[in-house]
Amino acid sequence: MAKFKTWTARKEELRGDWYVVDATGQPLGRLASNVAKILKGKHKPTYTPHLNTGDHVIVVNASRALVTGNKLDGKVYTRYTGYPSGLRTRTLRKQWEVDPTWPLKNAVRGMLQNNTLGRQMLGRLRVYGGPEHEHQAQRPKAITFNQKGDIQVG
């Protein structure tokens, strides 16, 4: 009986495609989970957990993403400055006014692993509040997601 070795991706075989996603009218959490799946590379048959097999993702119109329920005023981001009495809180509505790209970046960051590989994956994410982006030279493909979260090119 012949022995077969399991195929695994190598670093030199990897190459990342570029995709552009329009966030207009999409729920923030579903968009973030789909973008995280692309950044991890789980949509590819060559997915390898210990390598960065994902693609580059450009998200445009991040300021037009949807938030359901009472999350605009009920969701609170908390941070600590490091000084006494340094607890700072900010609602999603206020954070969206300050920087419309931050809630999406933060949601995607929370869905990736918390190590150097996750930080490399997050480096492939570009989020823009408006419809313009500066990555036309990479010729990104426009994609959308269906109800199940699968990619639809075009």
Side-chain angles (χ1 to χ4, degrees):
M1 199 184 266
K3 291 186 178 181
F4 295 103
K5 290 189 174 186
T6 302
W7 182 87
T8 177
R10 293 195 194 105
K11 202 172 195 176
E12 51 277 350
E13 296 172 352
L14 302 177
R15 82 178 231 312
D17 295 329
W18 285 75
Y19 296 113
V20 62
V21 178
D22 188 5
T24 304
Q26 295 193 39
L28 183 67
R30 289 184 191 207
L31 176 66
S33 65
N34 291 330
V35 167
K37 191 183 344 178
I38 294 174
L39 289 173
K40 286 186 81 151
K42 287 206 160 188
H43 63 290
K44 294 180 175 183
T46 59
Y47 170 70
T48 307
H50 64 279
L51 292 177
N52 192 357
T53 56
D55 295 322
H56 297 264
V57 179
I58 305 163
V59 180
V60 294
N61 293 322
S63 60
R64 294 184 180 176
L66 287 182
V67 179
T68 59
N70 193 26
K71 292 188 199 97
L72 274 177
D73 297 315
K75 184 166 182 61
V76 178
Y77 296 104
T78 305
R79 66 184 180 89
Y80 186 69
T81 63
Y83 289 97
S85 301
L87 189 65
R88 302 288 184 255
T89 58
R90 190 178 279 174
T91 63
L92 177 59
R93 183 184 305 273
K94 180 68 174 166
Q95 184 63 46
W96 224 323
E97 291 170 4
V98 172
D99 182 11
T101 65
W102 191 86
L104 181 62
K105 279 185 193 174
N106 187 49
V108 172
R109 185 173 52 115
M111 295 177 188
L112 297 175
Q113 59 247 42
N114 189 17
N115 56 19
T116 54
L117 185 59
R119 286 186 286 279
Q120 284 176 4
M121 291 175 187
L122 196 62
R124 292 180 169 210
L125 174 66
R126 283 95 177 159
V127 182
Y128 296 96
E132 290 90 26
H133 64 87
E134 52 197 37
H135 304 285
Q136 281 85 15
Q138 282 73 30
R139 285 182 269 167
K141 298 178 201 131
I143 60 171
T144 58
F145 302 105
N146 65 6
Q147 289 291 334
K148 291 174 58 179
D150 297 330
I151 299 172
Q152 294 177 330
V153 178

